[in-house]
Amino acid sequence: MESSRGPPRVKNKQASEQQISAEQLLREAVDRQEEKVQAPTQRFSDLEELHEYQGRKRKEFEDYVRRNRLNLKNWMSYAQWELEQKEYRRARSIFERALDAHQTTVVLWIRYIEAEMKTRNINHARNLLDRAVTILPRNDKLWYKYVYMEETLGNIAGTRQVFERWMNWEPDENAWSAYIRLEKKYGEFERARTIFERFTVVHPEPKNWIKWARFEEENGTSELVREVFGVAVETLGDEFLDEKVFMAYARFETKLKEYERARAIYKYALDRMPRSKSANLHKAYTTFEKQFGDKDGVEDVVVSKRRVQYEAQVKENPKNYDAWFDYARLEESSGDEDRTCDVYERAIAQLPPSQDKRHWRRYIYLWIFYALWVEMDIKDVSRARQIYSKCIELIPHTKFTFAKIWVMKAQFEVRQGQLQAARKTLGQAIGRCPKDKLFKSYIELELKLFDFARCRTLFEKRVEWDPANSQAWIKFAEIERGLDDLDRTRAIFELAVDQQQLDMPELVWKSYIDFEEEEGEYMRTRKLYERLLQKTDHVKVWISYAHFEINVPDSDEDEDEDDEERPISDEAKARARKVFETGYNSMKEKELVDERVTLLNAWKAFENTHGSSADLEKVEKQMPKRVKKRRKVDEGEFEEYLTWTFPEDNEVNPNLFDLMRRAQEWKQSQETHQQIHQEAGQEVENGT
């Protein structure tokens, strides 16, 4: 039972000795096919029997079409049978009856027309075609049939008339092409040219203009070809321009070896067409320049390509100043002054959307680059001056300003030798919108000119305008010191340190102290440190004070002796050690833990280098220890933190310190006993 299911199993899977090809199998299958059953051939002995058969068949067909008049197959079979019986009038009648029910069926019209043509009833066929194209003028198949029949009969004038009727309906491009081929076939080129004119009016697609130009190239003159392309460019306009038209035009000129014309066509097209529609045109232009141009021509291709790209970017977003920068640099590299000026003028016309400085930061560089290019490249000094002035007028200085533009205008005037104009520019800038950068630039200019009286005046104005500017006070003092006017320098520093507010007072004090120390005024320096410590108790000040005392020479020592070779006296060490002790006590009173640690580390480093073992041991006894403590954060919550404990603080309450020490020892002994019990329990468990 199981063996009967499924395909039979092949026990021997080896190759058979006699192999049969697929061709043999197919031939054998064909030979063994049974013959198809053919209908018997009917023979009629006389006309009466034939008429009886015909009447019976007609009755059958009439029944079919009467039951379903909309079934086209019944009508077609009926008409075909009548044609086989040579009953052409009956067949024509059947076709006419069918057309009453299927007037818009093209297949029926075609079958009817072909039947008339086979029986050589040309006038009947012509009348049918005329009726068909009148009823169905939008069906190209009927029109093709009509013109084919007329051309086959040699009636070229009639064919042309049919085409004219057809063209009045403005058919698709293939119909126009067929009409043009007819005229070309019989050498009527003027007629073909006229048809092309009408064709491009109805279908003004670029490919149709190219077809016309190709026709003129084959059958006309070069002037006619150029005229066709010119009309195409004018008709299509900027909106419907296509790169294929220009490429075909340029290729035509290249064939005639009119390379300058071809280059002009490429440039004209690239200037007018957007980048998105001219990718292939760029490639064609590049290939053209590589084949027929020189190095400048190839570079011009690249420039034109990038120019189109930048034009698209600035057209999409006129406020994209980065695109304007790149565009202007491109035109500068090309060397075309008119184009460069035009780009810069268009760029600076795009004012920022608001009077917010962040919107003006990129925009202002357009003016700067424009002015520099005019000055450096085209050497037009008056125009550059006008650009700077116009830019300064444009900036709303009451809300914000750009010191860079004022400084660059002043530098421009200096390059032209107009020092008074440069001073006037910077003075006007400081008067209208003072900024620290403007003061710096003006002072640097006067320093280069060695006009120190003006420098003093500018520094006075600067510190008067911004008395909290520490750098301004320091630079002012450095100028006076450079002029060896120590009293002025000292007076400036005194004014600076007496200011109620400074942005970086530590720099002013450091500069003042360094000045007095470098001048050898050690008593003044010491007093400055004392004054500074009254204002601040910073640990770095104490450390710096101690290092200063180390480096102060004694009164009997030669100050000109090299500091590295001079040994440090015991008096200097004692003074430094006293500073450390004073600072340490001050921080201890104020309970500054971290500062005490920092100062002790610096003190220890000092004793390691300059002190004795006893002094070092004294400092080490004061060194703190890192301990872990707990503090209450919230209700029932505690946190651990690390802090420093100083031995001196523990000596204040020795009983409390001894109690804490014993508590820690007891805690350690408890932990040791607990660990011993756990180990003993594990040994017992392992033994059992």
Side-chain angles (χ1 to χ4, degrees), residues 382-471:
S382 61
R383 188 173 181 180
R385 184 176 288 110
Q386 290 176 2
I387 293 171
Y388 280 119
S389 300
K390 185 65 177 176
C391 178
I392 290 173
E393 291 177 7
L394 193 64
I395 299 172
H397 299 288
T398 56
K399 296 184 178 181
F400 60 85
T401 190
F402 291 96
K404 189 177 187 67
I405 195 70
W406 291 102
V407 173
M408 292 194 69
K409 185 176 187 300
Q411 292 173 351
F412 163 76
E413 298 292 356
V414 171
R415 287 194 294 271
Q416 308 308 319
Q418 302 293 328
L419 296 180
Q420 289 301 118
R423 286 172 174 149
K424 183 178 179 181
T425 300
L426 291 173
Q428 183 183 2
I430 292 173
R432 293 179 63 181
C433 44
K435 291 186 70 174
D436 194 56
K437 186 176 181 181
L438 292 172
F439 280 108
K440 285 182 180 179
S441 301
Y442 200 176
I443 291 168
E444 288 177 2
L445 174 64
E446 297 298 346
L447 283 175
K448 291 178 181 178
L449 298 175
F450 297 100
D451 194 339
F452 300 108
R454 288 182 181 271
C455 290
R456 284 195 179 106
T457 304
L458 289 172
F459 268 117
E460 290 173 1
K461 295 291 185 182
R462 185 180 180 186
V463 297
E464 182 181 354
W465 170 70
D466 186 12
N469 191 341
S470 300
Q471 289 291 345

Side-chain angles (χ1 to χ4, degrees), residues 105-120:
T105 304
V106 178
V107 178
L108 181 60
W109 284 102
I110 295 295
R111 186 70 63 85
Y112 192 5
I113 293 166
E114 288 178 350
E116 295 292 354
M117 293 175 66
K118 285 179 181 179
T119 57
R120 298 180 183 277

Side-chain angles (χ1 to χ4, degrees), residues 195-245:
I195 296 168
F196 263 119
E197 292 179 4
R198 296 163 57 193
F199 178 29
T200 52
V201 172
V202 178
H203 298 284
E205 285 80 9
K207 61 180 181 179
N208 298 330
W209 290 99
I210 295 173
K211 288 180 183 179
W212 188 6
R214 194 175 295 119
F215 165 79
E216 296 293 354
E217 187 177 354
E218 294 174 357
N219 305 293
T221 62
S222 59
E223 294 300 326
L224 289 175
V225 177
R226 292 190 181 104
E227 184 179 353
V228 170
F229 278 119
V231 174
V233 173
E234 183 179 354
T235 304
L236 291 174
D238 295 339
E239 185 177 359
F240 299 102
L241 275 178
D242 191 270
E243 60 182 356
K244 295 180 181 178
V245 176

Side-chain angles (χ1 to χ4, degrees), residues 9 24 87 508 667-668:
R9 296 182 179 180
Q24 291 175 337
E87 294 287 347
V508 178
K667 183 178 180 181
Q668 290 178 357

Side-chain angles (χ1 to χ4, degrees), residues 48-60:
E48 185 179 356
E49 188 176 353
L50 175 61
H51 292 160
E52 182 184 359
Y53 165 74
Q54 289 177 344
R56 188 172 63 251
K57 290 293 290 183
R58 286 191 182 100
K59 185 177 183 304
E60 290 178 3

